[in-house]
Amino acid sequence: MGSALKWVKEASSQVKQDKWKLNGDHVKLFLKNYKEAKDVKGAEEFCGILKQFNRLDSRAYDSLIRTYDAAGEKEPSLCQRLVMVHDFVICITNNIKFEFNEAQASHVDLFCGTNGVEAFYAILHRVDVGIVIDLEPARTEDPALSIAGAVQSQKLAVRAISRLQALPGGDINLLCDAVVTHVRELTGYDRVMVYKFHDDEHGEVVAESRRDDLEPYLGLHYPATDIPQASRFLFKQNRVRMIADCNAAPVPVIQDDNLMQPLCLVGSTLRAPHGCHAQYMNNMGSIASLVMAVIINSSEDESSSRNSMKLWGLVVCHHTSPLHPLPSSLRL
Protein backbone atom coordinates (compact mmCIF):
# COMPACT_ATOMS: atom_id res chain seq x y z
CA MET A 1 0.00 0.00 0.00
CA GLY A 2 2.93 2.30 0.66
CA SER A 3 4.17 2.10 -2.92
CA ALA A 4 0.64 2.51 -4.28
CA LEU A 5 0.14 5.66 -2.19
CA LYS A 6 3.48 6.97 -3.43
CA TRP A 7 2.32 6.43 -7.02
CA VAL A 8 -0.93 8.32 -6.33
CA LYS A 9 1.01 11.24 -4.86
CA GLU A 10 3.32 11.40 -7.87
CA ALA A 11 0.44 11.14 -10.34
CA SER A 12 -1.60 13.82 -8.61
CA SER A 13 1.35 16.20 -8.50
CA GLN A 14 1.69 16.12 -12.30
CA VAL A 15 -1.84 17.19 -13.25
CA LYS A 16 -4.05 20.23 -12.66
CA GLN A 17 -6.48 20.17 -9.76
CA ASP A 18 -9.62 20.14 -11.92
CA LYS A 19 -8.26 17.46 -14.26
CA TRP A 20 -7.08 14.82 -11.80
CA LYS A 21 -9.40 11.86 -11.28
CA LEU A 22 -8.99 8.54 -9.52
CA ASN A 23 -11.11 5.55 -10.37
CA GLY A 24 -13.92 5.16 -7.82
CA ASP A 25 -13.26 1.43 -7.41
CA HIS A 26 -9.61 2.18 -6.67
CA VAL A 27 -10.63 4.72 -4.02
CA LYS A 28 -12.85 2.11 -2.35
CA LEU A 29 -10.01 -0.44 -2.47
CA PHE A 30 -7.54 1.97 -0.89
CA LEU A 31 -9.93 2.87 1.91
CA LYS A 32 -10.93 -0.75 2.50
CA ASN A 33 -7.30 -1.85 2.84
CA TYR A 34 -6.45 1.01 5.22
CA LYS A 35 -9.39 0.11 7.42
CA GLU A 36 -8.54 -3.61 7.50
CA ALA A 37 -4.90 -2.82 8.24
CA LYS A 38 -5.91 -0.23 10.87
CA ASP A 39 -3.48 2.10 9.09
CA VAL A 40 -4.58 5.52 10.36
CA LYS A 41 -1.56 7.39 8.97
CA GLY A 42 -2.01 5.94 5.48
CA ALA A 43 -5.75 6.67 5.50
CA GLU A 44 -5.11 10.28 6.59
CA GLU A 45 -2.55 10.82 3.82
CA PHE A 46 -4.82 9.32 1.18
CA CYS A 47 -7.83 11.37 2.32
CA GLY A 48 -5.59 14.43 2.33
CA ILE A 49 -4.93 13.86 -1.38
CA LEU A 50 -8.65 13.40 -2.05
CA LYS A 51 -9.41 16.63 -0.18
CA GLN A 52 -6.72 18.52 -2.10
CA PHE A 53 -8.46 17.63 -5.36
CA ASN A 54 -12.03 18.03 -4.04
CA ARG A 55 -12.65 14.28 -4.10
CA LEU A 56 -13.20 13.77 -0.36
CA ASP A 57 -16.87 12.82 -0.25
CA SER A 58 -18.99 11.58 2.64
CA ARG A 59 -18.20 7.91 1.92
CA ALA A 60 -14.46 8.52 2.06
CA TYR A 61 -14.82 10.50 5.29
CA ASP A 62 -17.00 7.75 6.74
CA SER A 63 -14.30 5.19 5.90
CA LEU A 64 -11.65 7.38 7.55
CA ILE A 65 -13.70 7.62 10.76
CA ARG A 66 -14.20 3.85 10.73
CA THR A 67 -10.44 3.38 10.30
CA TYR A 68 -9.91 5.47 13.44
CA ASP A 69 -12.45 3.30 15.20
CA ALA A 70 -10.85 0.05 14.01
CA ALA A 71 -7.49 1.27 15.28
CA GLY A 72 -8.97 2.25 18.61
CA GLU A 73 -8.32 5.94 17.99
CA LYS A 74 -10.46 9.03 17.54
CA GLU A 75 -9.89 11.93 15.17
CA PRO A 76 -8.93 14.82 17.52
CA SER A 77 -11.64 17.34 16.65
CA LEU A 78 -14.26 14.59 16.49
CA CYS A 79 -13.20 13.32 19.90
CA GLN A 80 -13.50 16.83 21.35
CA ARG A 81 -16.98 17.24 19.87
CA LEU A 82 -18.10 13.84 21.17
CA VAL A 83 -17.09 14.91 24.68
CA MET A 84 -19.14 18.10 24.32
CA VAL A 85 -22.12 16.14 22.97
CA HIS A 86 -21.93 13.76 25.92
CA ASP A 87 -21.84 16.68 28.37
CA PHE A 88 -24.85 18.33 26.74
CA VAL A 89 -26.86 15.11 26.72
CA ILE A 90 -26.15 14.67 30.45
CA CYS A 91 -27.20 18.30 30.99
CA ILE A 92 -30.46 17.71 29.16
CA THR A 93 -31.36 14.47 30.90
CA ASN A 94 -30.41 15.62 34.39
CA ASN A 95 -31.60 19.22 34.43
CA ILE A 96 -34.46 19.45 31.93
CA LYS A 97 -37.71 17.93 33.15
CA PHE A 98 -40.48 17.56 30.59
CA GLU A 99 -43.14 15.17 29.33
CA PHE A 100 -42.41 14.28 25.72
CA ASN A 101 -45.51 12.50 24.49
CA GLU A 102 -47.93 12.53 21.59
CA ALA A 103 -50.03 15.28 23.16
CA GLN A 104 -47.16 17.76 22.81
CA ALA A 105 -45.39 19.26 19.82
CA SER A 106 -43.31 16.90 17.70
CA HIS A 107 -40.18 18.97 18.45
CA VAL A 108 -38.83 20.33 21.74
CA ASP A 109 -36.36 23.21 21.56
CA LEU A 110 -33.76 23.75 24.29
CA PHE A 111 -30.64 25.87 24.74
CA CYS A 112 -27.51 24.31 26.22
CA GLY A 113 -24.25 26.00 27.12
CA THR A 114 -21.88 26.72 29.94
CA ASN A 115 -19.12 29.28 30.43
CA GLY A 116 -16.12 28.54 28.27
CA VAL A 117 -17.84 25.78 26.31
CA GLU A 118 -19.41 25.97 22.88
CA ALA A 119 -23.15 26.67 23.07
CA PHE A 120 -25.78 24.65 21.22
CA TYR A 121 -29.46 24.65 20.48
CA ALA A 122 -30.76 21.17 21.26
CA ILE A 123 -33.79 20.18 19.18
CA LEU A 124 -35.43 16.93 20.20
CA HIS A 125 -37.91 14.81 18.32
CA ARG A 126 -39.24 11.31 18.74
CA VAL A 127 -38.62 8.42 16.34
CA ASP A 128 -39.75 4.81 16.59
CA VAL A 129 -36.57 3.70 18.41
CA GLY A 130 -36.25 6.63 20.82
CA ILE A 131 -35.46 10.35 20.76
CA VAL A 132 -33.13 12.11 18.31
CA ILE A 133 -31.25 15.19 19.52
CA ASP A 134 -30.00 17.66 16.91
CA LEU A 135 -27.29 19.90 18.35
CA GLU A 136 -27.04 23.10 16.32
CA PRO A 137 -24.03 25.31 17.15
CA ALA A 138 -25.18 28.71 18.41
CA ARG A 139 -23.22 31.74 17.25
CA THR A 140 -21.81 33.89 20.03
CA GLU A 141 -23.08 36.99 18.20
CA ASP A 142 -26.61 35.58 18.03
CA PRO A 143 -28.82 38.24 19.71
CA ALA A 144 -31.09 35.54 21.10
CA LEU A 145 -28.28 34.39 23.42
CA SER A 146 -28.46 37.60 25.46
CA ILE A 147 -31.41 38.64 27.58
CA ALA A 148 -31.75 41.95 25.72
CA GLY A 149 -31.49 40.21 22.36
CA ALA A 150 -34.05 37.57 23.30
CA VAL A 151 -36.48 40.26 24.46
CA GLN A 152 -35.97 42.21 21.22
CA SER A 153 -36.53 39.10 19.07
CA GLN A 154 -39.70 38.34 21.00
CA LYS A 155 -40.93 41.91 20.55
CA LEU A 156 -40.40 41.72 16.78
CA ALA A 157 -42.27 38.43 16.56
CA VAL A 158 -45.13 39.66 18.75
CA ARG A 159 -45.39 42.87 16.72
CA ALA A 160 -45.60 40.92 13.46
CA ILE A 161 -48.26 38.58 14.87
CA SER A 162 -50.26 41.53 16.21
CA ARG A 163 -50.23 43.21 12.79
CA LEU A 164 -51.45 40.02 11.14
CA GLN A 165 -54.24 39.62 13.70
CA ALA A 166 -55.32 43.25 13.12
CA LEU A 167 -55.95 42.67 9.42
CA PRO A 168 -59.59 42.59 8.27
CA GLY A 169 -60.96 39.07 7.96
CA GLY A 170 -61.80 37.39 4.67
CA ASP A 171 -59.05 38.92 2.52
CA ILE A 172 -56.57 36.10 1.94
CA ASN A 173 -54.49 38.14 -0.52
CA LEU A 174 -53.96 40.92 2.00
CA LEU A 175 -52.98 38.36 4.62
CA CYS A 176 -50.44 36.68 2.31
CA ASP A 177 -48.90 40.03 1.35
CA ALA A 178 -48.49 40.91 5.02
CA VAL A 179 -46.97 37.48 5.81
CA VAL A 180 -44.21 37.73 3.21
CA THR A 181 -43.35 41.27 4.31
CA HIS A 182 -43.08 40.44 8.01
CA VAL A 183 -41.28 37.10 7.48
CA ARG A 184 -38.67 38.80 5.32
CA GLU A 185 -38.16 41.49 7.96
CA LEU A 186 -37.71 38.86 10.67
CA THR A 187 -35.45 36.46 8.76
CA GLY A 188 -33.45 38.60 6.32
CA TYR A 189 -33.91 36.28 3.33
CA ASP A 190 -33.59 37.77 -0.17
CA ARG A 191 -36.98 36.45 -1.28
CA VAL A 192 -40.06 35.29 0.64
CA MET A 193 -43.08 33.79 -1.13
CA VAL A 194 -46.44 32.28 -0.29
CA TYR A 195 -46.92 29.20 -2.46
CA LYS A 196 -50.54 27.99 -2.64
CA PHE A 197 -51.70 24.51 -3.67
CA HIS A 198 -54.79 24.56 -5.88
CA ASP A 199 -57.48 21.87 -5.96
CA ASP A 200 -55.78 20.12 -8.89
CA GLU A 201 -52.56 20.01 -6.79
CA HIS A 202 -50.57 22.50 -8.90
CA GLY A 203 -48.89 25.40 -7.12
CA GLU A 204 -48.98 29.17 -7.54
CA VAL A 205 -46.92 32.00 -6.04
CA VAL A 206 -49.68 34.24 -4.65
CA ALA A 207 -47.52 36.70 -2.67
CA GLU A 208 -43.89 37.77 -2.76
CA SER A 209 -41.42 40.12 -1.07
CA ARG A 210 -38.00 40.19 -2.74
CA ARG A 211 -34.78 42.05 -3.22
CA ASP A 212 -35.27 44.67 -5.94
CA ASP A 213 -32.72 43.19 -8.35
CA LEU A 214 -34.23 39.68 -8.31
CA GLU A 215 -36.56 38.37 -11.00
CA PRO A 216 -40.18 38.29 -9.74
CA TYR A 217 -41.91 34.94 -9.26
CA LEU A 218 -45.28 36.41 -8.30
CA GLY A 219 -48.11 34.86 -10.32
CA LEU A 220 -46.05 31.94 -11.62
CA HIS A 221 -47.70 28.52 -11.70
CA TYR A 222 -45.89 25.21 -11.19
CA PRO A 223 -47.05 21.65 -12.00
CA ALA A 224 -48.16 19.33 -9.21
CA THR A 225 -44.99 17.27 -9.74
CA ASP A 226 -42.87 20.27 -8.68
CA ILE A 227 -43.48 19.26 -5.05
CA PRO A 228 -44.18 15.48 -4.99
CA GLN A 229 -46.82 13.97 -2.74
CA ALA A 230 -44.15 12.34 -0.57
CA SER A 231 -42.63 15.76 0.15
CA ARG A 232 -46.06 17.22 0.92
CA PHE A 233 -46.70 14.40 3.39
CA LEU A 234 -43.38 15.14 5.12
CA PHE A 235 -44.26 18.84 5.39
CA LYS A 236 -47.34 17.84 7.40
CA GLN A 237 -45.08 15.93 9.82
CA ASN A 238 -42.07 18.26 9.93
CA ARG A 239 -43.43 21.72 9.27
CA VAL A 240 -40.18 23.70 9.11
CA ARG A 241 -37.34 22.78 6.74
CA MET A 242 -34.14 24.81 6.57
CA ILE A 243 -31.12 24.46 4.28
CA ALA A 244 -28.23 26.78 5.15
CA ASP A 245 -26.09 25.91 2.11
CA CYS A 246 -27.23 23.47 -0.56
CA ASN A 247 -23.63 23.14 -1.80
CA ALA A 248 -22.21 22.12 1.58
CA ALA A 249 -20.64 18.66 1.56
CA PRO A 250 -22.82 16.15 3.45
CA VAL A 251 -21.20 14.58 6.50
CA PRO A 252 -21.51 10.88 7.26
CA VAL A 253 -23.78 9.51 9.96
CA ILE A 254 -21.94 6.94 12.07
CA GLN A 255 -24.52 4.59 13.52
CA ASP A 256 -23.97 2.39 16.55
CA ASP A 257 -23.94 -1.27 15.59
CA ASN A 258 -26.31 -2.00 18.48
CA LEU A 259 -29.16 -0.22 16.69
CA MET A 260 -31.28 -2.83 14.98
CA GLN A 261 -32.35 -0.65 12.05
CA PRO A 262 -31.18 2.48 10.18
CA LEU A 263 -31.88 5.71 12.04
CA CYS A 264 -34.69 7.75 10.47
CA LEU A 265 -33.63 11.39 9.99
CA VAL A 266 -36.84 12.64 8.37
CA GLY A 267 -37.53 14.86 11.38
CA SER A 268 -33.94 16.04 11.79
CA THR A 269 -33.30 19.76 11.35
CA LEU A 270 -29.69 19.07 10.31
CA ARG A 271 -30.17 16.48 7.57
CA ALA A 272 -28.63 17.28 4.21
CA PRO A 273 -30.83 17.93 1.15
CA HIS A 274 -31.16 15.24 -1.47
CA GLY A 275 -28.80 15.70 -4.41
CA CYS A 276 -31.60 16.41 -6.89
CA HIS A 277 -33.12 19.05 -4.59
CA ALA A 278 -29.74 20.74 -4.17
CA GLN A 279 -29.45 20.89 -7.96
CA TYR A 280 -33.00 22.27 -8.19
CA MET A 281 -32.07 25.04 -5.75
CA ASN A 282 -28.95 25.89 -7.73
CA ASN A 283 -30.98 26.08 -10.92
CA MET A 284 -33.24 28.65 -9.23
CA GLY A 285 -30.26 30.65 -7.99
CA SER A 286 -31.09 29.80 -4.37
CA ILE A 287 -28.28 28.58 -2.11
CA ALA A 288 -30.07 28.79 1.24
CA SER A 289 -33.76 28.24 1.96
CA LEU A 290 -36.34 28.11 4.71
CA VAL A 291 -39.74 26.50 4.08
CA MET A 292 -42.67 26.59 6.51
CA ALA A 293 -45.84 24.59 5.98
CA VAL A 294 -49.24 26.32 6.08
CA ILE A 295 -51.65 23.82 7.63
CA ILE A 296 -55.40 24.33 7.85
CA ASN A 297 -58.20 22.24 9.31
CA SER A 298 -60.03 20.65 6.39
CA SER A 299 -62.90 19.54 8.63
CA GLU A 300 -65.57 21.67 10.27
CA ASP A 301 -65.09 19.62 13.42
CA GLU A 302 -62.35 21.47 15.36
CA SER A 303 -61.74 18.41 17.53
CA SER A 304 -61.17 16.06 14.59
CA SER A 305 -58.00 14.03 14.25
CA ARG A 306 -54.66 15.10 12.81
CA ASN A 307 -55.58 13.30 9.58
CA SER A 308 -58.09 16.08 8.81
CA MET A 309 -55.30 18.66 8.62
CA LYS A 310 -54.67 19.89 5.08
CA LEU A 311 -51.49 21.33 3.58
CA TRP A 312 -52.83 24.60 2.14
CA GLY A 313 -49.47 25.85 0.94
CA LEU A 314 -45.95 26.89 1.93
CA VAL A 315 -44.12 30.01 3.02
CA VAL A 316 -40.88 29.74 1.04
CA CYS A 317 -37.73 31.79 1.77
CA HIS A 318 -34.79 31.89 -0.67
CA HIS A 319 -31.32 33.42 -0.31
CA THR A 320 -28.76 33.75 -3.08
CA SER A 321 -25.78 32.94 -0.85
CA PRO A 322 -25.12 30.62 2.11
CA LEU A 323 -26.91 31.84 5.21
CA HIS A 324 -26.14 30.86 8.78
CA PRO A 325 -29.09 28.92 10.19
CA LEU A 326 -31.68 31.05 11.92
CA PRO A 327 -31.74 30.49 15.69
CA SER A 328 -34.02 27.56 16.36
CA SER A 329 -35.97 29.65 18.87
CA LEU A 330 -37.00 32.03 16.05
CA ARG A 331 -37.45 29.27 13.49
CA LEU A 332 -39.62 26.94 15.51
Side-chain angles (χ1 to χ4, degrees), residues 34-35 38-40 61-75 78 82 254-257:
Y34 285 130
K35 178 184 174 183
K38 303 179 182 179
D39 184 358
V40 170
Y61 187 76
D62 175 72
S63 180
L64 175 62
I65 297 300
R66 293 185 183 277
T67 302
Y68 281 116
D69 184 63
E73 299 181 20
K74 287 287 189 300
E75 192 271 333
L78 176 65
L82 288 175
I254 310 300
Q255 180 165 316
D256 193 302
D257 293 335

Side-chain angles (χ1 to χ4, degrees), residues 57-163:
D57 58 16
S58 60
R59 292 183 180 180
Y61 187 76
D62 175 72
S63 180
L64 175 62
I65 297 300
R66 293 185 183 277
T67 302
Y68 281 116
D69 184 63
E73 299 181 20
K74 287 287 189 300
E75 192 271 333
S77 64
L78 176 65
C79 184
Q80 183 180 8
R81 286 186 172 274
L82 288 175
V83 170
M84 287 193 297
V85 168
H86 176 266
D87 291 342
F88 282 127
V89 170
I90 295 298
C91 169
I92 291 169
T93 54
N94 288 346
N95 300 316
I96 304 298
K97 306 298 182 182
F98 61 90
E99 294 292 332
F100 194 69
N101 52 44
E102 294 181 358
Q104 291 182 304
S106 58
H107 287 73
V108 174
D109 179 28
L110 306 170
F111 173 74
C112 302
T114 56
N115 293 333
V117 180
E118 186 175 359
F120 287 84
Y121 289 107
I123 304 172
L124 291 68
H125 70 278
R126 183 180 293 279
V127 295
D128 51 358
V129 294
I131 294 176
V132 174
I133 305 175
D134 284 328
L135 294 176
E136 292 186 9
R139 295 180 298 173
T140 55
E141 65 272 22
D142 182 356
L145 297 187
S146 68
I147 295 177
V151 171
Q152 180 63 20
S153 297
Q154 185 180 24
K155 282 183 177 179
L156 291 174
V158 170
R159 185 182 306 162
I161 294 173
S162 298
R163 289 175 179 173

Side-chain angles (χ1 to χ4, degrees), residues 16 26 36 143 151 158 168 218:
K16 294 181 179 179
H26 291 164
E36 293 177 349
V151 171
V158 170
L218 181 63

